[in-house]
Amino acid sequence: MSPDDDEPYYILVDFNGTLAKHDKGAKVIDDQGNPIMGEPIQKMVERVKQRLASGLRVKIQCGTVGAGGPKGEKMAAAIRQWTLEHLGQELEATGTITPRCIEVWNDKAKAVVRNTGRFVGEEEEGSQRVWKDGAWVLDEPPK
């Protein structure tokens, strides 16, 4: 039995760019070592609140937290405060995924169909998802 077996299942929600506004390439820590917290993305805040109200556990993912050290600790504390202010409760900030994670909400992840090696959207032979104009779209194979 692993230590994770006692942990409840949870949804992992990325912080920067998913739950809070963040411009690509922008700093997440200022020159004094303080976290820069983005404004809430209301649609995602409402989704998270719905999951919490239904009894699901939610954790917040942030790479700075995962890096550890004083910056990671400051960012984790800032995320707990941000979630208290915008979600009504403190949520755990983490930089890792455990086997108890049942969903990941992230602006960079690409969904894979389990046990196939195919990306979601590659339903037909030769089709693939490609990045065009700031979004993933299905690119059909030439006929």
Side-chain angles (χ1 to χ4, degrees):
M1 177 180 260
S2 78
D4 290 330
D5 290 340
D6 292 333
E7 179 184 26
Y9 290 102
Y10 65 92
I11 295 171
L12 188 66
V13 178
D14 178 49
F15 186 71
N16 292 309
T18 301
L19 188 59
K21 292 181 181 177
H22 177 77
D23 293 327
K24 185 175 181 172
K27 291 182 179 183
V28 295
I29 302 286
D30 69 18
D31 293 335
Q32 289 74 42
N34 299 308
I36 300 170
M37 309 305 285
E39 291 298 315
I41 299 170
Q42 275 316 120
K43 187 170 187 167
M44 190 58 69
V45 165
E46 293 307 316
R47 285 183 174 155
V48 170
K49 284 181 176 181
Q50 288 172 354
R51 296 313 189 275
L52 292 168
S54 73
L56 286 169
R57 184 168 184 217
V58 176
K59 291 184 182 185
I60 307 302
Q61 191 277 327
C62 180
T64 305
V65 173
K71 288 181 182 178
E73 291 170 16
K74 278 186 176 182
M75 182 60 84
I79 288 172
R80 287 192 302 273
Q81 182 59 42
W82 190 99
T83 57
L84 178 61
E85 180 180 342
H86 297 286
L87 298 170
Q89 62 183 292
E90 283 189 12
L91 298 182
E92 178 183 345
T94 183
T96 61
I97 291 178
T98 71
R100 304 302 273 189
C101 179
I102 57 172
E103 285 184 14
V104 177
W105 299 354
N106 187 308
D107 61 321
K108 295 177 186 79
K110 197 166 180 183
V112 176
V113 179
R114 182 186 302 274
N115 297 326
T116 68
R118 290 190 338 256
F119 293 115
V120 170
E122 290 182 337
E123 307 308 329
E124 297 180 24
E125 188 66 35
S127 65
Q128 61 181 349
R129 286 176 17 136
V130 295
W131 187 258
K132 288 185 183 175
D133 301 320
W136 287 105
V137 296
L138 187 61
D139 185 33
E140 297 295 329
K143 296 193 184 228

